[in-house]
Amino acid sequence: MQILVVDDDPLACEMTATLLEFHGYTTVMANDAMEATQLLDSLDSIALIVSDMHMPLINGVEFLEMLREQDVTLPFILLTGDSPSSTLMQTPGLNACLQKDAELESTLGNAVTQALNG
């Protein structure tokens, strides 16, 4: 089982992957939604997606919508540098929407556990 981390910022992507690995998960990283789609097509071991919200071309919500249209039902966690609005947090198909802040280590670990067990 792997977690796909999608973020156009290489440092943020690496930091998110490191947080997940600290919690015992194996990760694979993508720089954008298109690369992530290719990984999803080639790897059967991906069990969950953690994506940044603000990316060029296709943002995190658009990526989620694209996946759902393709009947990809993997749990999906959205990360944002902004404080997430209630509208964003209630996006259909979204398991969690978390702010990239000092609490991310614990909030991300909890959200992943809930998404995988829920």
Side-chain angles (χ1 to χ4, degrees):
M1 174 184 68
Q2 293 180 310
I3 296 176
L4 174 59
V5 178
V6 187
D7 198 317
D8 63 306
D9 179 337
L11 180 59
C13 193
E14 185 68 40
M15 286 176 46
T16 301
T18 300
L19 285 176
L20 291 165
E21 289 166 4
F22 176 76
H23 285 281
Y25 299 105
T26 303
T27 61
V28 60
M29 294 179 280
N31 295 315
D32 58 36
M34 300 319 295
E35 184 180 347
T37 302
Q38 292 171 345
L39 287 169
L40 287 167
D41 288 342
S42 63
L43 298 172
D44 292 334
S45 57
I46 295 174
L48 182 137
I49 301 164
V50 176
S51 177
D52 183 35
M53 172 61 191
H54 301 288
M55 298 184 290
L57 303 177
I58 299 173
N59 71 33
V61 171
E62 293 165 340
F63 179 42
L64 170 63
E65 290 170 351
M66 181 181 78
L67 292 174
R68 296 305 187 240
E69 287 173 7
Q70 298 171 357
D71 294 324
V72 176
T73 59
L74 293 173
F76 195 101
I77 296 173
L78 189 64
L79 302 181
T80 179
D82 307 321
S83 180
S85 69
S86 60
T87 303
L88 182 61
M89 293 175 75
Q90 295 172 7
T91 300
L94 191 61
N95 291 82
C97 183
L98 307 173
Q99 185 173 1
K100 293 180 186 177
D101 60 12
E103 304 299 316
L104 186 61
E105 181 179 337
S106 63
T107 58
L108 182 57
N110 292 338
V112 168
T113 299
Q114 278 188 324
L116 291 174
N117 296 327

